[in-house]
Amino acid sequence: MEKSRLLISVRLNSFVHRVEDKAQVIASASQSGCTLKRIRRSRNWLVTGRKEQLASFALDASVGWISVAIEKVLSEYKSPIQQVLERNPEVTIAELMHESGCTLVEARAAIDEYEGL
C-alpha cells in the first residue's frame, strides 16, 4: 500500500530504571533509524520512527519489554488512509487524497486493497 512517511511514537515508561545499558539501547535505536529521547525531565522516554524502522528496532532490541511496547503500538496503528476508508468507504479518490494527504498512486492502491482487488 503506502510507504509510511508518518512518524510513530512509542512511550517507554521508566526507561532508565528498566534498562541496564542505556547507551547500547540508544545506539541500537539509532542503527534502526529511530530516535530515542527523554520526555522532559521525567523518567519516561519516547522512541520515534517510521513503522518499518520501529519494527526493525523491535526485532533488534535486546530488551524484551521494549519489543512488546513497540509491537503493541504497531498492531493498533492505522495509517491516515486506512482511517479515512474505514470512516467513509464510499470516499472518492480526490477526497481521500485531501483528507489523508496521500498521493494519487497511494490512494488508488489503498482503495484497491480495501476493496480486495
Side-chain angles (χ1 to χ4, degrees):
M1 193 166 106
E2 69 175 300
K3 291 259 186 191
S4 178
R5 296 174 298 205
L6 300 175
L7 295 178
I8 303 169
S9 296
V10 179
R11 187 180 176 117
L12 303 175
N13 295 327
S14 302
F15 174 76
V16 174
H17 300 292
R18 297 171 75 180
V19 173
E20 290 181 27
D21 189 4
K22 177 178 79 170
Q24 187 270 332
V25 176
I26 292 172
S28 177
S30 178
Q31 288 174 351
S32 297
C34 300
T35 57
L36 188 59
K37 294 182 181 177
R38 186 175 181 182
I39 301 173
R40 292 186 280 305
R41 295 177 60 190
S42 73
R43 61 184 176 182
N44 303 324
W45 288 56
L46 200 65
V47 62
T48 306
R50 292 189 319 272
K51 188 174 183 177
E52 307 82 33
Q53 293 170 328
L54 288 171
S56 172
F57 177 53
L59 291 175
D60 296 340
S62 60
V63 183
W65 69 270
I66 293 176
S67 298
V68 170
I70 292 172
E71 295 293 332
K72 181 179 178 186
V73 169
L74 291 180
S75 68
E76 297 170 357
Y77 174 75
K78 292 185 181 176
S79 72
I81 295 174
Q82 291 170 324
Q83 293 173 4
V84 172
L85 285 171
E86 287 178 3
R87 262 194 329 251
N88 182 9
E90 301 300 319
V91 68
T92 66
I93 290 178
E95 291 171 339
L96 181 60
M97 289 171 52
H98 177 72
E99 290 183 36
S100 67
C102 67
T103 65
L104 179 63
V105 173
E106 292 170 339
R108 286 183 176 164
I111 289 173
D112 287 346
E113 183 178 313
Y114 185 77
E115 293 176 348
L117 299 175

